[in-house]
Amino acid sequence: MEQSEISKLSIDTIRGLAMDAVQKANAGHPGTAMALAPLAYTIFKRFLHADPAATDWPDRDRFVLSSGHACMLQYSLLHLTGYELSLDDLKQFRQWGSRTPGHPERGHTPGIEVTTGPLGQGFANAVGMAIAERFLAERFNQPGQKVVDHHTYAICSDGDLMEGISQEAASIAGHFGLGKLVVCYDDNRITIDGSTTISFDGENHTARMEADGWHVQRVEDSEDLDALEAALAAGRDEAERPSFIAIRSHIAYPAPNAVDTAASHGSALGEEEVRATKEAMGFDPDRHFWVDERVYEHMSLRDSGAQARGEWQERYEDWREASPELAADWDLAWAGRLRDGWRETLPKFEAGEKLATRAAGQQVMAAFAEHAPTMIGGAADLVESTKTLFEGAGEFSKVHAGRNVPFGIREHAMGAIVNGAAAHGGIVSPYGSTFLMFSDYMRGSVRLSALMGLPVVWVWTHDSVGLGEDGPTHQPIEHYASLRAIPELWVIRPGDANETSHAWRVALEREDGPVALLLSRQGVETLDRAELGAAAELERGGYVLWDSSGDGTVAPELILISTGAEVPPTLAAARKLVGETKANVRAVSMPCIELFEAQTQEYRDSVLPPDTTKRLAVEPGASLSWWKWVGTGGDVLGLDRFGASAPGTKVLEELGFSVENIAARARALLDGKVRPR
């Protein structure tokens, strides 16, 4: 069979599989998968250096389908090129427990690099992967010895470009000159609501990308394999700028009646249209999920992938022998671990010192910095405020891949870029930071970090109304509860400098998901641990900080629970109550509800005895998080209102977070005067 014939057969096979899977599920997005079959075929067959038998090969090319609704395109390619995804898996598209869910999911399907679906996320993830590749190449490559040298290819849609996250990501990618990134834009001019003329024809998309510093090309016919190959080759060879290829396609091509229709975007074509399309392609319309054996042979990447990986392995072994110290760091980086001894470097803070937990975090980062040479991250133009800088480690730029990434005022893209760097691998616990208030701008990315189980660190400072004068626009209220609602995200609000040190330890040790550190702007008293529970108990999520009975053998009459900067004043209020009432009072530090919930029932009951129903939770945010822990007999001193502009100490005092008011609310519980909920 001639090259043109096997290429056409392969492309039409991709289309057939996409149509059949969506039709069988009676749900999905067939049109884009059909239109992009020639592009995806060209990327996988002509350009992608990957080995289906080794999906974790460090120097493989990365492929990201940002338009994740077209996932049958990717699933079909993975099946045909030899990944561990069977025809039966394709037949179970969108079914319970299948390996082919409705959008690509990392860790669920072999060959899927990132979870995509929310539009624009994959685009920005690809930027993060390109940043990771650049950093690791500069870190590990030696003259004449390249162990990191690969590309990231992405396909995006109109919807990806409409979402603001892609503009943020495109801007920073152009600024950094990420020449190993190639993004293909499916210009099919159709969205769910109809033609893009109703919402997206008022700008010149290619001019926008060119203005952002990208190398821009246009292919006028998505069926022109020669033009696609030439454009991709030019994009791959462009070393100084990221590449953007706009490709004019026709959704649902070659369906006789569905082509260029909005209906084909998000619905099955229907039995008759599928049948007519197969006939137009020269396929037997009565065959479903049909693959000619010649297509498997033609499209398989197993031999070429094994050869490419084998050649890399030889270079890699020579490099290891020549650079044993770098090789040791390489092993740690790809295992997601720090150099030995890092835990011992974590600072211990003297009691009595008043130190903002963000400032304590800065000292902690400085202590472990040299043990984490492949940890990168930065802030959304707030590094002086969040204090998340590796001193002397350089800035990431067009000419140098330093560890400090200046994300600019781009919280949304920052989150997805950090996720992309983590998904790439070799970057240990990448992080992004901003004010807690602006975690809202990056929430979609934070949610996806939890869904993917990525070991990233989110550092959010200015974590309460205590930030003061900037006022309610900058003062977080609902954010504690909102973030705690995300499954698999650990939210840690440390109560003093020593808890902050251990919070970072927990964050760096976690391998299966993200950790959020909520740190204060204002100074917080460093507690005297000689007479209190150890700060290391933070790893349990909640612990007995102080008990008036001394050893805790006498059941407390009242329990005060607090987090973050409110721990010291709550402790002071507990002591004040004991002095005034002689009651048995316990103070509990609860820096991480998620970790506390993960403890045994026996441990949780030892901290919060079930018989002690008089409980007061203290936290300057929405009370929603706390009723589970205080019960119907308890109370919450929280904030179910917005803050105010004034010095932070004044705001906290006026809103009730003084020692005196905490004690008064607790006293009301003791006196049986619980305010109605």
Side-chain angles (χ1 to χ4, degrees), residues 23 154 236 274 296 346 409 436 438 463 465 530 534 539 544 567 591 596 668:
Q23 193 63 40
R236 178 198 59 196
V274 170
Y296 285 126
L346 299 181
I409 308 166
L436 177 56
F438 303 127
D463 73 337
V465 294
E539 69 182 28
V544 177
V567 169
F596 188 68

Side-chain angles (χ1 to χ4, degrees), residues 77-146:
L77 265 294
L78 292 173
H79 169 68
L80 295 173
T81 55
Y83 285 80
E84 190 183 334
L85 195 67
S86 70
L87 205 57
D88 285 338
D89 288 324
L90 301 191
K91 293 176 182 178
Q92 292 301 306
F93 179 53
R94 288 186 165 227
Q95 303 309 301
W96 180 266
S98 79
R99 304 175 83 189
T100 49
H103 288 83
E105 295 184 27
R106 174 182 170 84
H108 193 78
T109 310
I112 300 297
E113 300 284 358
V114 287
T115 299
T116 58
L119 291 172
Q121 286 283 338
F123 186 113
N125 291 158
V127 173
M129 291 177 175
I131 286 175
E133 196 275 347
R134 166 82 65 78
F135 175 82
L136 294 171
E138 186 170 311
R139 168 84 187 158
F140 290 110
N141 289 347
Q142 296 296 292
Q145 293 181 311
K146 285 188 176 181

Side-chain angles (χ1 to χ4, degrees), residues 315 368 432 541 589:
R315 298 195 306 273
F368 71 69
S589 177

Side-chain angles (χ1 to χ4, degrees), residues 410-455:
R410 302 183 181 96
E411 289 91 351
H412 204 353
M414 174 179 71
I417 288 169
V418 168
N419 285 347
H424 177 279
I427 307 296
V428 175
S429 299
Y431 67 91
S433 66
T434 186
F435 291 178
L436 177 56
M437 178 68 215
F438 303 127
S439 64
D440 278 348
Y441 278 16
M442 52 193 294
R443 183 179 177 84
S445 300
V446 174
R447 184 178 189 273
L448 283 170
S449 72
L451 181 59
M452 287 189 268
L454 295 175

Side-chain angles (χ1 to χ4, degrees), residues 369 389-395 400 402-404:
L389 181 76
F390 286 122
E391 292 287 349
E395 273 191 347
H400 172 54
R403 294 174 61 186
N404 298 300

